[in-house]
Amino acid sequence: MVRPAIAVPVRASTDLDTLTDFFDRYGVALTTGDVAAIAACYALPGMVVADTYSFSFTSPAAVALSFVGAAPDYQERELVAAHAAIEDVQPMSALLTMVAVEWEFLDSRGRRVPGERYRYLLRSTDDGPVICTVLRTS
């Protein structure tokens, strides 16, 4: 007799290796200007919130368009690598996790360039975490 497969529910990711891998991929996409890879890191609809602006997007094309301007900034500053220093991980629900990150960058000369701090509301999916909301913090 063949037993039916039991579905294992997806749970909110608080595993540092999983989160580090996710933010490593996201950082590479940011510093290389790979807007398709950036878009793949987001849940839809998604939102970005800062002190003076907020915007949302409902399609991968809208995500890509919102990050098109970031690539020239990274190139102008000669940023070649990004590392997300994970400062805090808080499970919010069965599938949601809030992650506090300080971005650290390296320039083309290997010098450390301070970055900004963000909080990311991530949703766990069968394919791994995706960003629902980005909140720029100080």
Side-chain angles (χ1 to χ4, degrees), residues 7-89:
V8 177
V10 176
R11 301 290 301 162
S13 181
T14 56
D15 176 67
L16 284 181
D17 288 339
T18 299
L19 296 172
T20 298
D21 288 346
F22 172 76
F23 283 111
D24 285 350
R25 284 193 322 272
Y26 186 59
V28 167
L30 289 171
T31 56
T32 61
D34 187 344
V35 292
I38 293 169
C41 291
Y42 279 82
L44 298 174
M47 179 175 245
V48 175
V49 179
D51 286 342
T52 58
Y53 62 88
S54 297
F55 59 89
S56 61
F57 27 78
T58 58
S59 70
V63 176
L65 185 60
S66 69
F67 282 94
V68 165
D73 178 56
Y74 290 138
Q75 290 171 350
E76 183 178 303
R77 296 168 55 198
E78 298 182 21
L79 302 179
V80 296
H83 170 71
I86 297 173
E87 298 178 326
D88 188 39
V89 178

Side-chain angles (χ1 to χ4, degrees), residues 31 81-85 101-106 112-116:
T31 56
H83 170 71
V101 167
E102 179 181 7
W103 284 99
E104 301 167 339
F105 297 97
L106 286 179
R112 185 180 177 277
V113 178
E116 296 93 17

